[in-house]
């Protein structure tokens, strides 16, 4: 019995972060091999994936196999056609086949048409539609109920046409089934006629014409009437099999997914033969994604889209990281040879949290280059996941079940890891890490399920984002208030911890700084906090106790900060002039040189910093005048005051929740949000801390995630989500739940390792001596200058 217990204990000891990361590496290598096998067997062309396979999701939206489908609105479609027309590419779609192909033709025409008039009810008038001549698009339909002389002659004519169609969509078979049922002779004749199309199609493909053969979708046999009565799905399978056999080795692209789209909603067919409106729209969207994606480069449309080309800066960055990998390998070999010869290098304990600089000996440089090499490998994984088609990507899927189930599971799991904290203070370190942790997990679920379109959920996530700014302001004010440390060493260390991963990703992934919007916000507001607290007079707990007028100075500082923020907010023109000034313009604009994203996010949380610092001041004053006592495990207040405060906290939370359900417009909600966001935040703090039992307990699981919350937030953009957060990464196609479990595990391990690397590199980047800090800062600026000149920052 003792031995069995010892074995379990040994097993538990093996469950740690180091072994988890080793398992993550094994999983990455395994799935890389698996996807390489898929590419070798089925190809890596996402257009083939789009046309070959897919499935319906719970919301009846179509999910292609391995790639993301962009939903083309009429505006998107016309933008694509105008783009092609501008560059001299005329668009010519030809549909040839039976009534099923005719319905697809009608669906595309209806999608492209522009409505110029409306009925009295405000609906588009069908009689007032036309296709804009400036689009230079031609859509034709040729009736051919079977593979008759008409279809063959048309293909032969097109192969001799100097300007053949851009895309030909063909398909038929129902009439042949009606005439010959499923007899072997009829199927053989059908296959023979199809064979006559192969040569002209192959000739057309040399002229860059795409030819799709739409496989027949099943029919709803119980709904069939008239000429289609007696058509059976087993006959359709025979005719589809003949088409597959004939066209497999030709230039015809078999449109398998058209069959699957219809098959998934067969019962919705109005007559048992033709598609219902929903699957017909899916087929139109598939055609538009196939034709337009490579020209439009929509972030959420990876099907048929070429991968992003690499910039010079990316090549240089990865070259430098590659050199670090080589140096790390050479140093490792050197250390190994020393050990073999019996002269091992003395190991030094590397304290990531140390406030002292580390002596520059061989062992320290080994840790430096080892960390940079590890970072290089992680960045390589990032770029493979999000900047190539090696791993697959899928669209997000939202449902009440898919959102609330993981939320409930996460919080239930978090309760199982409840522990007693050694600290009894309000908002102590364990509690703050717990707060950051569960907020980050909720944000992750929100992002992966695409819940943004649900306004109440969207507004609550905005509260969580504001809470991060609130916590930053609270913690930094407390740090300066208690330690009186406003030196540049702490300032640069905080900025390094906030920005190291983000700057590295900007260089490696070719994304602007604003793409990782939380980091620019936190860095900017941290800078504002530092300026407010660093400007003389320096106000601390000790100085305010010795000289009461310092409270007045503190009020003046807060009023000044509030005034500056309000002035910037009241004049958007002045705001833009401030933030689009070179050279810092590049920090605040998107890839399209647009500052609107920064403006929207900045004004949403413009007062959260003041709320956080004011709360810290009120908390210290209340403690100084013995309004509450958090030095023990007792409740903060007396029974009556505790009940009143609890009621006030519940009312505060309830008020904001009610507001999110009553507000109907996101823009209006966001305008009000900045004025009332302190209500749910402060209410949560009260409810979390009033009881001594609740205050001194915390979830170690949430606290663990909170410790790496920044890395989790940034890493999700590339190795958990995909295509600039518009989709999700797919390592295990066809198994969405298992896939999210595996990708989440790898994503968390990578985030934890990046957090560890940041702590290791911190003393190298920001030493404890201010002169060395300034030297490193100047070197960093020297590196940025050529990058800025190349990008037009100067």
């Amino acid at each position: 019995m003792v031995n069995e217990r010892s074995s379990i204990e040994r097993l538990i000891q093996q469950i740690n972060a180091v072994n988890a990361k080793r398992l993550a590496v094994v999983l990455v290598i395994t799935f890389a091999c698996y996807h390489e096998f898929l590419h070798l067997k089925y190809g890596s062309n996402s257009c083939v994936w789009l046309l070959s396979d897919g499935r319906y999701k719970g919301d009846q939206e179509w999910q292609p196999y391995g790639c993301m489908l962009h939903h083309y609105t009429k505006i998107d479609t016309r933008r694509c056609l105008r783009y092609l027309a501008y560059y001299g590419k005329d668009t010519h779609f030809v549909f040839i086949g039976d009534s099923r192909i005719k319905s697809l033709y009608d669906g595309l025409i209806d999608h492209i048409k522009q409505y110029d008039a409306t009925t009295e009810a405000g609906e588009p008038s069908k009689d007032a539609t036309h296709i804009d001549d400036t689009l230079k698009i031609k859509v034709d339909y040729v009736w051919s109920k079977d593979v008759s002389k008409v279809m063959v002659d048309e293909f032969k004519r097109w192969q001799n046409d100097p300007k053949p169609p851009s895309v030909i969509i063909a398909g038929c078979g129902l009439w042949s089934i009606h005439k010959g049922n499923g007899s072997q002779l009829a199927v053989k004749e059908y296959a023979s006629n199809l064979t006559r199309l192969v040569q002209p199609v192959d000739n057309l493909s040399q002229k860059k014409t795409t030819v799709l053969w739409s496989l027949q979708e099943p029919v709803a046999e119980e709904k069939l009437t008239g000429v289609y009565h007696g058509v059976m799905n087993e006959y359709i399978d025979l005719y589809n099999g003949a088409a597959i056999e004939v066209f497999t080795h030709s230039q015809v692209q078999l449109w398998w997914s058209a069959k699957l789209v219809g098959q998934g909603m067969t019962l919705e067919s109005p007559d048992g033969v033709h598609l219902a409106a929903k699957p017909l729209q899916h087929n139109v969207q598939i055609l538009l994604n196939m034709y337009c994606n490579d020209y439009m480069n929509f972030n959420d449309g990876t099907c048929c889209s070429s991968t992003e080309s690499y910039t010079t800066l990316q090549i240089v960055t990865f070259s430098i990281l590659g050199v670090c990998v080589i140096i790390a390998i050479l140093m490792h070999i050197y250390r190994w040879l020393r050990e073999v010869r019996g002269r091992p290098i003395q190991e030094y304990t590397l304290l990531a949290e140390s406030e002292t600089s580390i002596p520059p000996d061989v062992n320290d440089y080994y840790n430096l280059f080892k960390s940079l090499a590890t970072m290089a490998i992680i960045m390589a994984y990032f770029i493979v996941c999000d900047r190539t088609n090696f791993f697959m990507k899928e669209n997000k899927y939202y449902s009440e079940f898919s959102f609330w189930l993981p939320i409930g599971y996460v919080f239930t799991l978090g309760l199982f890891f409840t522990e007693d904290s050694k600290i009894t203070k309000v908002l102590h370190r364990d509690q703050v890490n717990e707060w950051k942790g569960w907020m980050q997990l909720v944000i992750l679920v929100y992002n992966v399920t695409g819940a943004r379109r649900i306004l109440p959920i969207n507004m609550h996530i905005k509260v969580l984002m504001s809470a991060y700014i609130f916590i930053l302001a609270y913690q930094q004010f407390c740090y300066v208030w208690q330690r009186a440390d406003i030196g540049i060493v702490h300032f640069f260390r905080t900025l390094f911890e906030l920005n190291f991963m983000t700057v590295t990703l900007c260089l490696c992934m070719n994304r602007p700084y604003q793409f990782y919007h939380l980091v620019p916000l936190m860095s900017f507001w941290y800078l504002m906090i530092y300026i407010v607290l660093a400007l003389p007079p320096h106000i601390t707990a000790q100085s305010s106790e010795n000289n009461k007028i310092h409270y007045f100075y503190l009020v003046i500082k807060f009023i000044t900060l509030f005034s500056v923020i309000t002035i910037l907010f009241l004049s958007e023109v002045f705001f833009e002039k401030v933030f689009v000034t070179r050279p810092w313009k590049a920090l605040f604009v998107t890839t399209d040189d647009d500052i609107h994203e920064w403006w929207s996010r900045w004004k949403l949380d413009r007062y959260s910093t003041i709320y956080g610092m004011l709360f810290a001041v009120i908390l210290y004053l209340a403690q100084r005048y013995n309004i509450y006592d958090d030095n023990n495990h007792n409740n903060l207040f007396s029974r009556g005051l505790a009940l009143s405060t609890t009621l006030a906290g519940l009312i505060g939370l309830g008020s904001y929740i009610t507001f999110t359900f009553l507000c109907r417009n996101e823009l209006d909600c966001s305008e009000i949000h900045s004025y009332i966001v302190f209500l749910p935040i402060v209410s949560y703090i009260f409810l979390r801390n009033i009881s001594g039992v609740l205050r001194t307990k915390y979830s170690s699981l949430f606290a663990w995630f909170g410790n790496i919350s920044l890395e989790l937030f940034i890493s999700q953009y590339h190795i958990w989500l995909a295509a600039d957060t518009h989709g999700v990464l797919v390592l295990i196609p066809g198994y969405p739940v298992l896939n999210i479990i595996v990708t989440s595990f790898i994503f968390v391990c990578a985030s934890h390792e990046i957090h560890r690397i940041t702590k290791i590199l911190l003393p190298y980047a920001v030493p404890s001596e201010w002169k060395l800090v300034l030297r490193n800062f100047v070197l960093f600026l020297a590196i940025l200058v050529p990058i800025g000149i190349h990008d037009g920052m100067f």
Side-chain angles (χ1 to χ4, degrees), residues 168-189:
I168 301 173
I169 301 97
C172 60
L174 287 182
W175 186 256
S176 300
I177 295 174
H178 169 67
K179 290 194 305 180
N181 291 328
S183 66
Q184 292 294 327
L185 181 61
V187 175
K188 186 175 181 180
E189 181 183 357

Side-chain angles (χ1 to χ4, degrees), residues 348-359 364 479 483 485 489-490 493-494 496-497 756 758-769 773:
Y348 290 83
T349 302
L350 190 61
L351 299 177
E353 304 285 351
S354 175
E355 295 293 330
T356 59
S357 60
I358 298 176
D364 291 328
Y479 178 87
R483 300 192 183 186
D485 181 6
V489 173
H490 175 72
R493 285 193 171 185
T494 303
F496 180 83
E497 289 180 308
R756 189 187 71 85
T758 304
K759 293 295 184 182
I760 292 175
L761 296 179
L762 179 60
Y764 293 97
V766 190
S768 59
E769 188 176 344
V773 172

